[in-house]
Amino acid sequence: MTLLPGPIDPPTRLLMGPGPISAYPSVLTAMSAQLVGQYDPFMTGAMAETQELYRRIWATRNDATLLIDGTSRAGIEAAMISLVRPGDRVLVPVFGRFGHLLAEIAERAMAEVHTIEVPWGQVFTPAAIEEAIVRVRPHLLGLVQGDTSTTMLQPLDEIGAICDRHGVLFYSDATASLGGNPFEADAWGLDAATAGLQKCLGGPSGSAPITLSERAVEIIRSRKKIEAGIREPGDEDAPDFVRSNYFDLGMILDYWGPRRLNHHTEATSMLYGARECARVLLGEGRDAVIERHVLHGEAMLAGVRGLGLVVFGDVAHKMSNVVAVEIPEGVAGDAARQAMLEDFGIEIGTSFGPLHGRVWRIGTMGYNARKDAVLTTLAALEQVLRRFGAKVPAGGGVEAALDVYAGAR
Amino acid sequence: MTLLPGPIDPPTRLLMGPGPISAYPSVLTAMSAQLVGQYDPFMTGAMAETQELYRRIWATRNDATLLIDGTSRAGIEAAMISLVRPGDRVLVPVFGRFGHLLAEIAERAMAEVHTIEVPWGQVFTPAAIEEAIVRVRPHLLGLVQGDTSTTMLQPLDEIGAICDRHGVLFYSDATASLGGNPFEADAWGLDAATAGLQKCLGGPSGSAPITLSERAVEIIRSRKKIEAGIREPGDEDAPDFVRSNYFDLGMILDYWGPRRLNHHTEATSMLYGARECARVLLGEGRDAVIERHVLHGEAMLAGVRGLGLVVFGDVAHKMSNVVAVEIPEGVAGDAARQAMLEDFGIEIGTSFGPLHGRVWRIGTMGYNARKDAVLTTLAALEQVLRRFGAKVPAGGGVEAALDVYAGAR
């Protein structure tokens, strides 16, 4: 008999990259709870509780608030393919890699995609977005809130009113930002928003929270199709039905809704995990969690500057939960990251596209938005930078971070 | 502050329906392991181990053996949308609800879909499938192996040779059958096969094992598209690129393969769970697990007959791991199922479409293909049937099952 690998036994890691990050312990505990049946009253009850918890996280009264069974980009694709018909115009302002992803998913959904771009490290003014909307006249605006590729946080608070003025659906991908930065789905006029668990929410990837306005639900309902095996009299296909079964939000809403029409089998353990992520966040308090991300993000920002590192991008528009630093001249970026991982068990992130090899990305998210995590990372980074030939002020990172903590307390 | 629900605390359930079923305890333990980074050597190592474990489960040498991050129908859709171009002809022999699902997913992928049907409770002869192939000349044959809606197991062993003779791609959905019934991907000439964890593999839904032949991979590679944010010189879009980003198997293969090109963030906890499902199965032995499903399936079959229940469908072609029984005249089917759940903590299944209200489905799968699970279910079912007005021989179910166990040992 061929040898089998042993039980899973991950090394201890402090995940301080752009995500995934170490999960809250109670989330992992929740995920080890035993399964129940798909229509067990306990299961449908847990689904309803999870919906209500995420309504509070999104700051919405949207009935259509639920989870997509897949990673964050599953949520993006479900929103795009259900809201956008082939040939519809979609406008995506691109300020990093995940804007390109939104555009690409819209293109795959056979939309007519228009993009505007700013250099990586910047965000858009509302005026620039409105100008493009007037020019393109899109059906939907797809806008990333926080793009981890550049660490930038696009302000969304004025965009909903612009979309409303021009009759445009407003969708935002808040994967990297939700929980660590303000998000107000209703107050900001969002028609759809999606996220993932593996950033500030402190869980594993594999479940994508989504919320949809009534206007969005109307569009989805108008594109209905129900599979032959479970169709009932009166169920008719719309001619422009959604070109995906798995991501057809109409069917997913019927499964989560009172009709409980069979679609997929909800990923029970991921549901347990997503529910616990929300419970942890709301137990601490939504504003308190954002403030915690701001505090530890500021400490990390001061710390990397205290180590003499140059911060990338427009810091005034940085997400609270991640900072990008330029790799010092002469330092072998990937080897230094590897030393952080192998010698200290700490992961920091590399970058994509134009920033690959130029910057590292350091996160302070969810469970790891903590003083000990920040200080340990800075202490280790100081050692590694020095060993890789950078000139580093002894104690400069930790001292600067401690000053932030002293000032804030 | 608004009240929060407590930590997740599921009631104890013995899940004896058509799936999901109770997970192996070690799978739940694996899922509570802490996360590591997406490109941590431990993570990529665990991915490679998982691929190798599933090659053994599928009985294949296919390099392209991996997981799709979603429930079983995510695996079906990934296979369909990546292998079938708009306008391609797809043939689906339908012998239950999940045949309709395959047809529907192919239709959403804009294929020209042809179906043949047999009455629910029967399977196809190879000759009937070949006749349809000759008539339709499809690009791909999509065939469910085990359809839980009818409990039937479609023999696949002669189909690959037929497909090969006529130059047809052969795809099978083995969600309900894999692990509890023979499956030989290479020997049977499969080009693609997909499954889920929540049946005989004994895990939660949310991860879909998939395996792809070299011929399938060639088609997928010819339809390449890489998103702008991570594209490199030399990466060009194919004109017939896959109309989904999330389910583009070309990108998913690049992420699982040596290029490790960023796509989604692999659902780490689901990967841990899927790996453990395979480890449990292979530790017991692939053939031993199938034999266990056969034994406990036969005991359950004898048991329900011993209770005087009539078994639905062609028993010679039943899956080992589930049996459908007609609800006796005068018994309120849903109320009786509810009594099983509420009074005994045991779940048995209802049915879909033409069988809804007519049959119950009782599973013996994965962790619950066990003597105590079978006997406890039969003992409780006897009590409930009697209470709901059926004439039931006292001890008839348990005795008949024990006879099977006595004969088999």
Side-chain angles (χ1 to χ4, degrees):
Chain A
M1 159 147 192
T2 322
L3 233 59
L4 287 174
I8 199 85
D9 187 18
T12 298
R13 299 293 196 220
L14 178 61
L15 300 181
M16 303 296 284
I21 52 91
S22 320
Y24 288 109
S26 72
V27 170
L28 298 175
T29 303
M31 294 194 66
S32 71
Q34 187 50 281
L35 309 180
V36 297
Q38 186 177 7
Y39 293 109
D40 194 302
F42 178 82
M43 181 68 183
T44 51
M47 289 169 78
E49 283 171 354
T50 304
Q51 294 185 279
E52 189 49 36
L53 291 167
Y54 278 90
R55 283 186 196 107
R56 291 167 63 184
I57 288 181
W58 289 115
T60 184
R61 297 167 63 186
N62 288 338
D63 185 56
T65 302
L66 41 95
L67 306 175
I68 302 298
D69 282 7
T71 68
S72 9
R73 73 173 62 199
I76 300 171
E77 188 157 321
M80 281 286 183
I81 205 164
S82 296
L83 290 172
V84 174
R85 298 177 184 85
D88 277 348
R89 275 192 296 278
V90 168
L91 173 65
V92 182
V94 174
F95 60 99
R97 185 237 163 140
F98 292 95
H100 285 299
L101 178 63
L102 261 54
E104 128 104 15
I105 289 176
E107 193 186 341
R108 301 238 195 188
M110 292 182 286
E112 180 189 317
V113 181
H114 297 254
T115 58
I116 52 174
E117 296 196 37
V118 286
W120 285 33
Q122 298 179 24
V123 296
F124 291 90
T125 61
I129 291 174
E130 181 158 26
E131 185 279 322
I133 284 177
V134 168
R135 183 166 46 78
V136 173
R137 303 218 149 274
H139 165 71
L140 178 141
L141 174 75
L143 189 54
V144 173
Q145 184 187 27
D147 199 313
T148 42
S149 69
T150 68
T151 75
M152 292 298 104
L153 184 81
Q154 171 66 45
L156 301 182
D157 53 328
E158 295 179 41
I159 309 298
I162 294 172
C163 286
D164 200 42
R165 260 203 305 280
H166 300 284
V168 175
L169 283 174
F170 179 22
Y171 160 66
S172 182
D173 166 24
T175 300
S177 48
L178 187 68
N181 306 269
F183 195 97
E184 301 288 336
D186 287 358
W188 294 352
L190 270 300
D191 288 301
T194 62
L197 303 185
Q198 74 275 18
K199 311 278 184 179
C200 303
L201 296 177
S205 73
S207 181
I210 186 171
T211 189
L212 299 158
S213 73
E214 280 182 31
R215 183 161 66 154
V217 170
E218 267 172 39
I219 292 173
I220 291 161
R221 292 289 182 205
S222 76
R223 303 182 64 197
K224 182 174 177 160
K225 183 179 192 316
I226 294 180
E227 68 197 70
I230 54 170
R231 190 175 297 169
E232 294 187 3
D235 288 337
E236 301 238 339
D237 287 355
D240 58 346
F241 62 81
V242 176
R243 298 295 175 185
S244 166
N245 171 291
Y246 194 70
F247 292 134
D248 182 344
L249 285 171
M251 295 186 76
I252 297 170
L253 285 169
D254 278 343
Y255 174 46
W256 283 78
R259 203 171 166 194
R260 293 281 171 208
L261 204 56
N262 192 259
H263 182 249
H264 63 285
T265 298
E266 182 59 18
T268 316
S269 305
M270 288 305 310
L271 177 90
Y272 291 172
R275 178 183 177 280
E276 184 63 18
C277 287
R279 231 178 56 84
V280 167
L281 189 149
L282 295 170
E284 184 176 345
R286 207 169 69 103
D287 293 343
V289 172
I290 293 171
E291 279 162 30
R292 174 162 62 83
H293 279 87
V294 168
L295 172 65
H296 297 293
E298 281 176 1
M300 184 62 88
L301 175 66
V304 294
R305 284 176 162 161
L307 289 172
L309 297 171
V310 175
V311 174
F312 170 82
D314 174 7
V315 173
H317 287 106
K318 199 179 77 56
M319 280 189 278
S320 70
N321 49 297
V322 59
V323 61
V325 294
E326 294 182 12
I327 301 169
E329 193 76 26
V331 170
D334 282 347
R337 276 200 314 119
Q338 197 178 335
M340 284 290 286
L341 190 71
E342 287 181 2
D343 296 344
F344 296 91
I346 300 173
E347 180 177 276
I348 62 170
T350 181
S351 293
F352 298 114
L355 299 184
H356 183 74
R358 271 187 58 202
V359 311
W360 291 319
R361 294 176 300 156
I362 304 177
T364 41
M365 310 194 192
Y367 184 50
N368 290 347
R370 292 195 325 264
K371 186 175 176 181
D372 63 295
V374 169
L375 296 181
T376 305
T377 302
L378 289 168
L381 188 57
E382 177 186 330
Q383 302 300 321
V384 169
L385 282 169
R386 188 172 295 119
R387 196 149 65 78
F388 277 78
K391 278 203 179 132
V392 199
V398 168
E399 288 300 325
L402 282 172
D403 285 349
V404 170
Y405 290 124
R409 296 295 169 193
Chain B
M1 157 147 188
T2 322
L3 234 59
L4 287 173
I8 198 85
D9 187 17
T12 298
R13 298 293 196 220
L14 179 61
L15 300 182
M16 303 297 282
I21 53 92
S22 319
Y24 288 109
S26 72
V27 170
L28 299 176
T29 303
M31 294 193 66
S32 71
Q34 187 49 280
L35 309 179
V36 297
Q38 187 176 7
Y39 292 110
D40 194 302
F42 179 83
M43 181 68 183
T44 51
M47 289 169 79
E49 283 170 354
T50 304
Q51 294 185 279
E52 189 50 36
L53 292 167
Y54 279 90
R55 283 186 196 107
R56 291 167 64 184
I57 288 180
W58 289 115
T60 185
R61 297 167 62 185
N62 288 338
D63 185 56
T65 302
L66 41 94
L67 306 175
I68 303 298
D69 283 6
T71 70
S72 12
R73 74 174 60 199
I76 300 171
E77 189 157 321
M80 281 287 183
I81 206 164
S82 297
L83 290 171
V84 174
R85 297 177 185 85
D88 277 348
R89 274 192 297 277
V90 168
L91 174 65
V92 182
V94 174
F95 60 101
R97 187 236 163 144
F98 292 96
H100 285 300
L101 178 62
L102 261 55
E104 129 105 13
I105 289 175
E107 193 186 341
R108 299 237 196 189
M110 290 182 287
E112 180 189 318
V113 181
H114 298 255
T115 58
I116 52 174
E117 296 197 37
V118 286
W120 285 34
Q122 297 178 25
V123 296
F124 292 90
T125 61
I129 291 174
E130 183 159 23
E131 186 279 322
I133 284 177
V134 168
R135 184 167 44 79
V136 172
R137 301 217 151 274
H139 165 71
L140 178 142
L141 174 75
L143 189 54
V144 173
Q145 183 187 28
D147 199 313
T148 42
S149 68
T150 68
T151 76
M152 293 298 105
L153 184 79
Q154 171 64 47
L156 301 181
D157 53 327
E158 296 179 40
I159 309 300
I162 294 171
C163 287
D164 199 43
R165 257 202 308 281
H166 299 284
V168 174
L169 283 175
F170 180 22
Y171 160 66
S172 183
D173 165 25
T175 300
S177 49
L178 186 70
N181 306 268
F183 195 98
E184 301 288 335
D186 287 359
W188 294 352
L190 270 300
D191 288 300
T194 61
L197 304 184
Q198 74 275 21
K199 311 277 183 178
C200 303
L201 297 178
S205 72
S207 180
I210 185 170
T211 188
L212 300 158
S213 72
E214 280 181 29
R215 184 162 64 155
V217 171
E218 268 170 40
I219 291 172
I220 291 161
R221 290 290 180 206
S222 77
R223 303 182 65 198
K224 182 175 177 162
K225 184 178 192 317
I226 294 180
E227 68 197 70
I230 55 169
R231 191 175 294 170
E232 292 187 3
D235 289 335
E236 301 239 338
D237 288 356
D240 59 345
F241 63 81
V242 176
R243 298 296 174 185
S244 166
N245 171 292
Y246 195 70
F247 292 134
D248 182 343
L249 286 170
M251 295 185 78
I252 296 171
L253 286 169
D254 278 343
Y255 174 47
W256 283 77
R259 203 171 166 193
R260 293 280 171 210
L261 205 55
N262 191 259
H263 182 247
H264 62 285
T265 298
E266 182 60 17
T268 315
S269 305
M270 288 306 308
L271 177 90
Y272 291 171
R275 178 183 178 281
E276 184 63 18
C277 287
R279 231 177 57 83
V280 167
L281 189 150
L282 295 170
E284 183 176 346
R286 207 169 68 104
D287 293 344
V289 171
I290 293 171
E291 281 162 28
R292 172 161 63 84
H293 279 87
V294 169
L295 172 65
H296 297 292
E298 282 177 0
M300 185 62 89
L301 175 66
V304 293
R305 283 175 162 163
L307 288 172
L309 297 172
V310 175
V311 173
F312 170 82
D314 174 8
V315 173
H317 286 106
K318 198 180 77 57
M319 280 189 278
S320 70
N321 49 297
V322 60
V323 62
V325 295
E326 294 181 14
I327 301 168
E329 194 76 28
V331 169
D334 283 347
R337 277 200 313 120
Q338 197 178 336
M340 285 290 286
L341 189 72
E342 286 181 3
D343 295 344
F344 296 91
I346 300 173
E347 180 177 277
I348 63 171
T350 181
S351 294
F352 298 114
L355 300 183
H356 183 76
R358 271 187 58 202
V359 312
W360 291 319
R361 295 176 300 156
I362 305 178
T364 43
M365 309 194 192
Y367 183 52
N368 290 347
R370 291 194 327 263
K371 188 175 176 181
D372 64 294
V374 169
L375 297 181
T376 305
T377 302
L378 289 167
L381 188 57
E382 177 185 330
Q383 302 300 323
V384 169
L385 282 169
R386 189 172 295 120
R387 196 150 63 82
F388 277 78
K391 279 204 178 127
V392 200
V398 168
E399 287 301 325
L402 281 171
D403 285 349
V404 170
Y405 290 123
R409 295 296 168 191

